Short mmCIF file of all heavy atoms in Angstrom, two decimals:
data_model
loop_
_atom_site.label_atom_id
_atom_site.label_comp_id
_atom_site.label_asym_id
_atom_site.label_seq_id
_atom_site.Cartn_x
_atom_site.Cartn_y
_atom_site.Cartn_z
N MET A 10 12.05 11.43 19.95
CA MET A 10 10.89 10.76 20.61
C MET A 10 9.87 10.69 19.39
O MET A 10 9.13 9.75 19.45
CB MET A 10 10.43 11.62 21.73
CG MET A 10 9.39 11.12 22.50
SD MET A 10 10.12 10.41 23.95
CE MET A 10 8.81 10.07 24.90
N MET A 11 9.57 11.68 18.69
CA MET A 11 8.62 11.68 17.61
C MET A 11 8.95 10.48 16.52
O MET A 11 8.09 9.90 16.07
CB MET A 11 8.55 13.07 16.90
CG MET A 11 7.40 13.13 15.97
SD MET A 11 5.91 13.12 16.69
CE MET A 11 4.91 14.10 15.63
N THR A 12 10.35 10.49 16.29
CA THR A 12 10.65 9.44 15.29
C THR A 12 10.35 7.97 15.73
O THR A 12 9.87 7.12 14.96
CB THR A 12 12.16 9.37 15.03
OG1 THR A 12 12.82 10.18 15.93
CG2 THR A 12 12.34 9.92 13.58
N ARG A 13 10.47 7.80 17.03
CA ARG A 13 10.10 6.39 17.60
C ARG A 13 8.55 6.16 17.49
O ARG A 13 8.21 4.98 17.16
CB ARG A 13 10.40 6.32 19.12
CG ARG A 13 11.88 6.15 19.32
CD ARG A 13 12.17 5.97 20.83
NE ARG A 13 13.65 6.01 21.09
CZ ARG A 13 14.11 5.95 22.25
NH1 ARG A 13 13.38 5.87 23.31
NH2 ARG A 13 15.49 5.88 22.44
N THR A 14 7.77 7.15 17.59
CA THR A 14 6.38 6.94 17.43
C THR A 14 6.00 6.61 16.09
O THR A 14 5.27 5.77 15.75
CB THR A 14 5.61 8.18 17.89
OG1 THR A 14 6.02 8.57 19.20
CG2 THR A 14 4.15 8.06 17.85
N ILE A 15 6.61 7.39 15.03
CA ILE A 15 6.47 7.10 13.73
C ILE A 15 6.88 5.62 13.24
O ILE A 15 6.26 4.95 12.55
CB ILE A 15 7.11 8.18 12.88
CG1 ILE A 15 6.43 9.48 13.13
CG2 ILE A 15 7.01 7.79 11.31
CD1 ILE A 15 7.12 10.70 12.42
N ILE A 16 7.97 5.34 13.68
CA ILE A 16 8.58 3.99 13.43
C ILE A 16 7.72 2.87 13.93
O ILE A 16 7.35 1.87 13.38
CB ILE A 16 10.09 3.84 13.91
CG1 ILE A 16 10.93 4.74 13.13
CG2 ILE A 16 10.53 2.36 13.74
CD1 ILE A 16 12.38 4.94 13.64
N ALA A 17 7.23 3.09 15.24
CA ALA A 17 6.39 2.10 15.84
C ALA A 17 5.04 1.96 15.05
O ALA A 17 4.46 0.86 14.92
CB ALA A 17 6.14 2.49 17.31
N ALA A 18 4.51 3.11 14.63
CA ALA A 18 3.18 3.11 13.92
C ALA A 18 3.40 2.36 12.58
O ALA A 18 2.53 1.61 12.20
CB ALA A 18 2.65 4.50 13.68
N ALA A 19 4.56 2.65 11.94
CA ALA A 19 4.80 2.08 10.56
C ALA A 19 4.91 0.46 10.79
O ALA A 19 4.43 -0.35 9.97
CB ALA A 19 6.13 2.60 9.98
N ALA A 20 5.74 0.11 11.85
CA ALA A 20 5.86 -1.34 12.09
C ALA A 20 4.54 -2.12 12.45
O ALA A 20 4.23 -3.16 11.93
CB ALA A 20 6.91 -1.49 13.22
N ALA A 21 3.68 -1.40 13.15
CA ALA A 21 2.32 -2.00 13.46
C ALA A 21 1.49 -2.11 12.23
O ALA A 21 0.88 -3.01 12.11
CB ALA A 21 1.65 -1.11 14.43
N ALA A 22 1.63 -1.12 11.38
CA ALA A 22 0.80 -1.21 10.03
C ALA A 22 1.25 -2.41 9.22
O ALA A 22 0.52 -3.00 8.61
CB ALA A 22 1.00 0.20 9.34
N LEU A 23 2.59 -2.45 9.13
CA LEU A 23 3.22 -3.55 8.35
C LEU A 23 2.83 -4.98 8.91
O LEU A 23 2.57 -5.91 8.19
CB LEU A 23 4.69 -3.51 8.19
CG LEU A 23 5.07 -2.35 7.30
CD1 LEU A 23 6.72 -2.22 7.40
CD2 LEU A 23 4.72 -2.61 5.92
N LEU A 24 2.86 -4.99 10.27
CA LEU A 24 2.39 -6.30 10.86
C LEU A 24 0.99 -6.60 10.54
O LEU A 24 0.58 -7.80 10.28
CB LEU A 24 2.69 -6.14 12.29
CG LEU A 24 3.83 -6.85 12.90
CD1 LEU A 24 4.07 -6.45 14.38
CD2 LEU A 24 3.91 -8.29 12.73
N THR A 25 0.13 -5.70 10.53
CA THR A 25 -1.34 -5.84 10.35
C THR A 25 -1.48 -6.29 8.97
O THR A 25 -2.33 -7.34 8.57
CB THR A 25 -2.09 -4.45 10.53
OG1 THR A 25 -1.82 -4.07 11.84
CG2 THR A 25 -3.50 -4.68 10.41
N VAL A 26 -0.89 -5.71 7.97
CA VAL A 26 -0.92 -6.09 6.56
C VAL A 26 -0.50 -7.56 6.38
O VAL A 26 -1.14 -8.38 5.64
CB VAL A 26 -0.18 -5.11 5.57
CG1 VAL A 26 -0.21 -5.72 4.22
CG2 VAL A 26 -0.78 -3.82 5.62
N GLY A 27 0.65 -7.95 7.02
CA GLY A 27 1.11 -9.25 6.86
C GLY A 27 0.27 -10.27 7.45
O GLY A 27 0.04 -11.42 6.95
N VAL A 28 -0.44 -10.02 8.62
CA VAL A 28 -1.31 -10.91 9.31
C VAL A 28 -2.53 -11.25 8.38
O VAL A 28 -3.02 -12.26 8.22
CB VAL A 28 -1.62 -10.49 10.65
CG1 VAL A 28 -2.69 -11.28 11.18
CG2 VAL A 28 -0.41 -10.47 11.53
N SER A 29 -3.12 -10.05 7.82
CA SER A 29 -4.32 -10.24 7.00
C SER A 29 -4.04 -10.98 5.68
O SER A 29 -4.86 -11.79 5.25
CB SER A 29 -4.89 -8.78 6.72
OG SER A 29 -4.14 -8.06 5.82
N ALA A 30 -2.84 -10.76 5.13
CA ALA A 30 -2.61 -11.63 3.90
C ALA A 30 -2.36 -13.04 4.13
O ALA A 30 -2.91 -13.87 3.42
CB ALA A 30 -1.25 -10.94 3.35
N SER A 31 -1.76 -13.41 5.35
CA SER A 31 -1.68 -14.88 5.59
C SER A 31 -2.93 -15.45 6.06
O SER A 31 -3.22 -16.68 5.71
CB SER A 31 -0.63 -15.02 6.75
OG SER A 31 -1.07 -14.50 7.90
N ALA A 32 -3.95 -14.66 6.61
CA ALA A 32 -5.08 -15.24 6.98
C ALA A 32 -5.97 -15.51 5.74
O ALA A 32 -6.72 -16.49 5.70
CB ALA A 32 -5.87 -14.20 7.86
N ASP A 33 -5.91 -14.66 4.66
CA ASP A 33 -6.58 -14.86 3.37
C ASP A 33 -6.01 -16.16 2.74
O ASP A 33 -6.84 -17.02 2.12
CB ASP A 33 -6.46 -13.70 2.52
CG ASP A 33 -7.28 -12.49 3.05
OD1 ASP A 33 -8.01 -12.66 3.79
OD2 ASP A 33 -6.90 -11.40 2.60
N ALA A 34 -4.75 -16.41 2.78
CA ALA A 34 -4.19 -17.66 2.19
C ALA A 34 -4.62 -18.83 2.86
O ALA A 34 -4.71 -19.92 2.24
CB ALA A 34 -2.66 -17.47 2.28
N ALA A 35 -4.98 -18.78 4.06
CA ALA A 35 -5.34 -20.05 4.90
C ALA A 35 -6.84 -20.15 4.92
O ALA A 35 -7.17 -21.20 5.61
CB ALA A 35 -4.64 -19.92 6.27
N ALA A 36 -7.62 -19.44 4.22
CA ALA A 36 -8.94 -19.50 4.19
C ALA A 36 -9.56 -20.79 3.53
O ALA A 36 -10.69 -21.13 3.71
CB ALA A 36 -9.68 -18.23 3.83
N CYS A 37 -8.87 -21.43 2.62
CA CYS A 37 -9.36 -22.47 1.76
C CYS A 37 -9.21 -23.79 2.51
O CYS A 37 -8.20 -24.29 2.70
CB CYS A 37 -8.68 -22.52 0.44
SG CYS A 37 -9.00 -20.98 -0.51
N ARG A 38 -10.39 -24.42 2.82
CA ARG A 38 -10.45 -25.72 3.46
C ARG A 38 -11.48 -26.51 2.89
O ARG A 38 -12.46 -25.96 2.23
CB ARG A 38 -10.75 -25.62 4.92
CG ARG A 38 -9.62 -24.87 5.71
CD ARG A 38 -9.94 -24.95 7.15
NE ARG A 38 -8.84 -24.36 7.90
CZ ARG A 38 -8.57 -24.43 9.18
NH1 ARG A 38 -9.15 -25.43 9.89
NH2 ARG A 38 -7.63 -23.86 9.75
N ASP A 39 -11.29 -27.87 2.88
CA ASP A 39 -12.45 -28.76 2.20
C ASP A 39 -13.43 -28.97 3.21
O ASP A 39 -13.45 -28.48 4.51
CB ASP A 39 -11.77 -30.01 1.58
CG ASP A 39 -11.16 -30.85 2.70
OD1 ASP A 39 -11.13 -30.48 3.95
OD2 ASP A 39 -10.53 -31.89 2.35
N ALA A 40 -14.40 -29.91 3.05
CA ALA A 40 -15.49 -30.18 3.92
C ALA A 40 -15.03 -30.82 5.24
O ALA A 40 -15.63 -30.70 6.18
CB ALA A 40 -16.49 -31.18 3.25
N LYS A 41 -13.90 -31.54 5.16
CA LYS A 41 -13.42 -32.17 6.29
C LYS A 41 -12.53 -31.24 7.14
O LYS A 41 -11.98 -31.65 8.24
CB LYS A 41 -12.55 -33.49 5.97
CG LYS A 41 -13.38 -34.46 5.31
CD LYS A 41 -12.60 -35.70 4.95
CE LYS A 41 -13.46 -36.70 4.20
NZ LYS A 41 -12.71 -37.88 3.82
N GLY A 42 -12.20 -30.03 6.76
CA GLY A 42 -11.42 -29.04 7.44
C GLY A 42 -9.99 -29.03 7.19
O GLY A 42 -9.16 -28.39 7.76
N LYS A 43 -9.58 -29.93 6.15
CA LYS A 43 -8.18 -29.92 5.75
C LYS A 43 -7.92 -28.69 4.72
O LYS A 43 -8.79 -28.36 4.08
CB LYS A 43 -7.80 -31.22 5.05
CG LYS A 43 -7.90 -32.45 5.99
CD LYS A 43 -7.43 -33.62 5.34
CE LYS A 43 -7.39 -34.78 6.29
NZ LYS A 43 -6.88 -36.01 5.69
N PHE A 44 -6.76 -28.27 4.84
CA PHE A 44 -6.26 -27.15 3.91
C PHE A 44 -6.10 -27.73 2.63
O PHE A 44 -5.54 -28.80 2.33
CB PHE A 44 -4.94 -26.62 4.43
CG PHE A 44 -5.05 -25.79 5.72
CD1 PHE A 44 -4.69 -26.25 6.88
CD2 PHE A 44 -5.72 -24.48 5.72
CE1 PHE A 44 -4.74 -25.62 8.04
CE2 PHE A 44 -5.78 -23.80 6.79
CZ PHE A 44 -5.37 -24.30 7.98
N ILE A 45 -6.58 -26.93 1.54
CA ILE A 45 -6.58 -27.20 0.26
C ILE A 45 -6.02 -26.03 -0.55
O ILE A 45 -6.01 -24.95 0.02
CB ILE A 45 -7.80 -27.70 -0.45
CG1 ILE A 45 -8.96 -26.70 -0.17
CG2 ILE A 45 -8.29 -29.05 0.33
CD1 ILE A 45 -10.21 -26.95 -1.00
N LYS A 46 -5.66 -26.33 -1.83
CA LYS A 46 -5.16 -25.10 -2.62
C LYS A 46 -6.49 -24.35 -3.07
O LYS A 46 -7.40 -24.98 -3.55
CB LYS A 46 -4.52 -25.57 -3.84
CG LYS A 46 -3.96 -24.43 -4.77
CD LYS A 46 -3.05 -25.07 -5.88
CE LYS A 46 -2.54 -23.89 -6.70
NZ LYS A 46 -1.73 -24.37 -7.78
N CYS A 47 -6.42 -23.03 -2.87
CA CYS A 47 -7.65 -22.22 -3.33
C CYS A 47 -7.96 -22.21 -4.76
O CYS A 47 -6.96 -22.09 -5.46
CB CYS A 47 -7.53 -20.80 -2.75
SG CYS A 47 -7.40 -20.62 -0.93
N PRO A 48 -9.13 -22.42 -5.25
CA PRO A 48 -9.47 -22.25 -6.60
C PRO A 48 -9.19 -20.86 -7.11
O PRO A 48 -9.35 -19.89 -6.34
CB PRO A 48 -10.83 -22.70 -6.63
CG PRO A 48 -11.45 -22.39 -5.32
CD PRO A 48 -10.38 -22.58 -4.38
N PRO A 49 -8.69 -20.73 -8.27
CA PRO A 49 -8.47 -19.45 -8.83
C PRO A 49 -9.86 -18.68 -8.95
O PRO A 49 -10.89 -19.32 -9.36
CB PRO A 49 -7.92 -19.74 -10.28
CG PRO A 49 -8.36 -21.05 -10.58
CD PRO A 49 -8.44 -21.76 -9.30
N THR A 50 -9.80 -17.41 -8.70
CA THR A 50 -10.97 -16.54 -8.92
C THR A 50 -11.11 -16.02 -10.33
O THR A 50 -10.12 -15.72 -10.89
CB THR A 50 -10.91 -15.33 -7.98
OG1 THR A 50 -9.72 -14.63 -8.21
CG2 THR A 50 -10.96 -15.80 -6.51
N ALA A 51 -12.31 -16.02 -10.81
CA ALA A 51 -12.66 -15.59 -12.23
C ALA A 51 -12.53 -14.05 -12.24
O ALA A 51 -13.04 -13.38 -11.34
CB ALA A 51 -13.85 -16.10 -12.67
N PRO A 52 -11.79 -13.49 -13.28
CA PRO A 52 -11.85 -12.06 -13.25
C PRO A 52 -13.20 -11.53 -13.54
O PRO A 52 -14.01 -12.15 -14.26
CB PRO A 52 -10.88 -11.68 -14.43
CG PRO A 52 -10.83 -12.96 -15.35
CD PRO A 52 -11.15 -14.05 -14.34
N ALA A 53 -13.54 -10.35 -13.15
CA ALA A 53 -14.94 -9.75 -13.31
C ALA A 53 -15.01 -9.40 -14.85
O ALA A 53 -14.11 -8.96 -15.46
CB ALA A 53 -15.09 -8.53 -12.52
N LYS A 54 -16.15 -9.70 -15.39
CA LYS A 54 -16.47 -9.40 -16.74
C LYS A 54 -16.79 -7.92 -16.94
O LYS A 54 -17.43 -7.32 -16.03
CB LYS A 54 -17.59 -10.23 -17.22
CG LYS A 54 -17.31 -11.62 -17.42
CD LYS A 54 -18.45 -12.41 -17.97
CE LYS A 54 -18.07 -13.81 -18.22
NZ LYS A 54 -19.24 -14.67 -18.96
N ALA A 55 -16.25 -7.27 -17.96
CA ALA A 55 -16.42 -5.90 -18.18
C ALA A 55 -18.01 -5.70 -18.65
O ALA A 55 -18.42 -6.56 -19.45
CB ALA A 55 -15.52 -5.38 -19.21
N ALA A 56 -18.50 -4.65 -18.13
CA ALA A 56 -19.86 -4.35 -18.56
C ALA A 56 -20.00 -3.86 -19.93
O ALA A 56 -19.08 -3.28 -20.37
CB ALA A 56 -20.54 -3.35 -17.76
N ARG A 57 -20.92 -4.54 -20.76
CA ARG A 57 -21.03 -4.07 -22.21
C ARG A 57 -22.44 -3.58 -22.31
O ARG A 57 -23.31 -4.03 -21.91
CB ARG A 57 -20.81 -5.36 -23.06
CG ARG A 57 -19.49 -5.95 -22.82
CD ARG A 57 -19.15 -6.93 -23.90
NE ARG A 57 -18.42 -6.27 -24.94
CZ ARG A 57 -18.12 -6.87 -26.16
NH1 ARG A 57 -18.44 -8.04 -26.29
NH2 ARG A 57 -17.44 -6.18 -27.05
N CYS A 58 -22.47 -2.51 -23.04
CA CYS A 58 -23.78 -1.85 -23.44
C CYS A 58 -24.03 -1.71 -24.97
O CYS A 58 -23.14 -1.67 -25.66
CB CYS A 58 -23.81 -0.47 -22.82
SG CYS A 58 -23.79 -0.53 -20.89
N LYS A 59 -25.28 -1.54 -25.33
CA LYS A 59 -25.66 -1.43 -26.58
C LYS A 59 -26.62 -0.26 -26.83
O LYS A 59 -27.38 0.08 -25.89
CB LYS A 59 -26.43 -2.57 -27.15
CG LYS A 59 -25.37 -3.89 -27.33
CD LYS A 59 -26.13 -5.02 -28.09
CE LYS A 59 -25.24 -6.19 -28.30
NZ LYS A 59 -25.91 -7.27 -29.04
N ASP A 60 -26.42 0.49 -27.98
CA ASP A 60 -27.38 1.63 -28.30
C ASP A 60 -28.62 1.22 -28.73
O ASP A 60 -28.94 -0.02 -28.92
CB ASP A 60 -26.65 2.60 -29.10
CG ASP A 60 -26.33 2.16 -30.44
OD1 ASP A 60 -26.69 1.00 -30.83
OD2 ASP A 60 -25.58 2.84 -31.22
N ALA A 61 -29.44 2.01 -29.27
CA ALA A 61 -30.79 1.73 -29.67
C ALA A 61 -30.72 0.90 -30.97
O ALA A 61 -31.66 0.23 -31.18
CB ALA A 61 -31.68 2.99 -29.84
N LYS A 62 -29.71 1.16 -31.71
CA LYS A 62 -29.58 0.31 -33.00
C LYS A 62 -29.00 -0.98 -32.80
O LYS A 62 -28.84 -1.73 -33.80
CB LYS A 62 -28.73 1.25 -33.99
CG LYS A 62 -29.40 2.59 -34.35
CD LYS A 62 -28.36 3.22 -35.32
CE LYS A 62 -29.07 4.58 -35.65
NZ LYS A 62 -28.19 5.40 -36.58
N GLY A 63 -28.60 -1.39 -31.60
CA GLY A 63 -27.97 -2.64 -31.31
C GLY A 63 -26.43 -2.77 -31.50
O GLY A 63 -25.95 -3.83 -31.42
N LYS A 64 -25.84 -1.58 -31.67
CA LYS A 64 -24.43 -1.54 -31.81
C LYS A 64 -23.67 -1.37 -30.36
O LYS A 64 -24.40 -0.67 -29.58
CB LYS A 64 -23.91 -0.46 -32.72
CG LYS A 64 -24.35 -0.70 -34.19
CD LYS A 64 -23.69 0.31 -35.06
CE LYS A 64 -24.20 0.14 -36.46
NZ LYS A 64 -23.73 1.21 -37.48
N PHE A 65 -22.52 -1.86 -30.22
CA PHE A 65 -21.94 -1.71 -28.86
C PHE A 65 -21.61 -0.23 -28.66
O PHE A 65 -21.16 0.46 -29.68
CB PHE A 65 -20.67 -2.53 -28.77
CG PHE A 65 -20.99 -4.07 -28.56
CD1 PHE A 65 -20.87 -4.86 -29.58
CD2 PHE A 65 -21.50 -4.47 -27.45
CE1 PHE A 65 -21.16 -6.18 -29.45
CE2 PHE A 65 -21.74 -5.79 -27.24
CZ PHE A 65 -21.62 -6.72 -28.29
N ALA A 66 -21.79 0.26 -27.41
CA ALA A 66 -21.51 1.64 -27.16
C ALA A 66 -20.97 1.69 -25.66
O ALA A 66 -21.12 0.73 -24.98
CB ALA A 66 -22.86 2.56 -27.26
N LYS A 67 -20.40 2.85 -25.37
CA LYS A 67 -19.96 3.04 -23.91
C LYS A 67 -21.19 3.10 -23.06
O LYS A 67 -22.23 3.65 -23.43
CB LYS A 67 -19.11 4.39 -23.82
CG LYS A 67 -17.81 4.22 -24.47
CD LYS A 67 -17.03 5.52 -24.10
CE LYS A 67 -15.60 5.33 -24.66
NZ LYS A 67 -14.79 6.53 -24.30
N CYS A 68 -21.05 2.64 -21.80
CA CYS A 68 -22.18 2.41 -21.03
C CYS A 68 -22.67 3.86 -20.47
O CYS A 68 -23.85 3.96 -20.09
CB CYS A 68 -21.87 1.53 -19.87
SG CYS A 68 -21.84 -0.21 -20.25
N GLY A 69 -21.81 4.77 -20.53
CA GLY A 69 -22.18 6.18 -20.03
C GLY A 69 -22.90 6.91 -21.12
O GLY A 69 -23.35 7.99 -20.86
N ALA A 70 -22.93 6.51 -22.34
CA ALA A 70 -23.50 7.20 -23.39
C ALA A 70 -24.94 7.35 -23.31
O ALA A 70 -25.62 6.44 -22.81
CB ALA A 70 -23.15 6.51 -24.80
N PRO A 71 -25.56 8.38 -23.80
CA PRO A 71 -27.06 8.49 -23.74
C PRO A 71 -27.74 7.59 -24.62
O PRO A 71 -27.38 7.28 -25.64
CB PRO A 71 -27.37 9.96 -24.20
CG PRO A 71 -26.09 10.47 -24.63
CD PRO A 71 -24.98 9.50 -24.41
N GLY A 72 -28.67 6.82 -23.90
CA GLY A 72 -29.41 5.79 -24.64
C GLY A 72 -28.94 4.46 -24.70
O GLY A 72 -29.48 3.46 -25.20
N ALA A 73 -27.78 4.28 -24.02
CA ALA A 73 -27.09 2.93 -23.95
C ALA A 73 -27.76 2.16 -22.84
O ALA A 73 -27.96 2.56 -21.75
CB ALA A 73 -25.61 3.13 -23.71
N MET A 74 -27.91 0.86 -23.22
CA MET A 74 -28.51 -0.05 -22.31
C MET A 74 -27.61 -1.21 -22.09
O MET A 74 -26.87 -1.55 -23.06
CB MET A 74 -29.95 -0.62 -22.89
CG MET A 74 -30.86 0.48 -23.08
SD MET A 74 -31.56 1.24 -21.69
CE MET A 74 -32.55 -0.10 -20.95
N PRO A 75 -27.58 -1.88 -20.93
CA PRO A 75 -26.74 -3.13 -20.68
C PRO A 75 -27.04 -4.23 -21.64
O PRO A 75 -28.36 -4.54 -21.86
CB PRO A 75 -27.08 -3.42 -19.22
CG PRO A 75 -27.56 -2.20 -18.58
CD PRO A 75 -28.21 -1.53 -19.66
N ALA A 76 -26.09 -4.91 -22.26
CA ALA A 76 -26.33 -5.95 -23.20
C ALA A 76 -26.52 -7.26 -22.27
O ALA A 76 -26.01 -7.40 -21.35
CB ALA A 76 -25.15 -6.13 -24.13
N LYS A 77 -27.42 -8.21 -22.83
CA LYS A 77 -27.76 -9.32 -22.14
C LYS A 77 -26.71 -10.39 -22.49
O LYS A 77 -26.15 -10.65 -23.43
CB LYS A 77 -29.17 -9.77 -22.28
CG LYS A 77 -30.08 -8.81 -21.83
CD LYS A 77 -31.52 -9.31 -22.17
CE LYS A 77 -32.47 -8.23 -21.54
NZ LYS A 77 -33.86 -8.50 -21.74
#
């Protein structure tokens, strides 16, 4: 009886993941409401920091400021 509950819970979790993935894929539409290919998302740029002398340093280092 316990195994049926575990199997049912696992199946429900997999169904939920599958539905959310397909909903994300169908989210791209143009102004007229027609489905279009989603534009690629740009990767996030890594934060860069410089120290007081202007050299690149790790952002967690003391005295490091974000580079512009």
Side-chain angles (χ1 to χ4, degrees):
M10 187 103 165
M11 184 70 148
T12 14
R13 285 185 184 176
T14 307
I15 294 172
I16 291 172
L23 288 174
L24 261 172
T25 305
V26 170
V28 169
S29 67
S31 65
D33 290 340
C37 296
R38 294 187 183 205
D39 63 1
K41 295 180 182 178
K43 292 187 177 186
F44 289 104
I45 60 170
K46 186 175 181 180
C47 295
T50 57
K54 292 185 178 181
R57 301 189 93 186
C58 295
K59 291 186 178 183
D60 61 7
K62 295 180 181 178
K64 295 184 178 181
F65 287 106
K67 288 188 177 182
C68 290
M74 300 293 288
K77 293 182 180 178

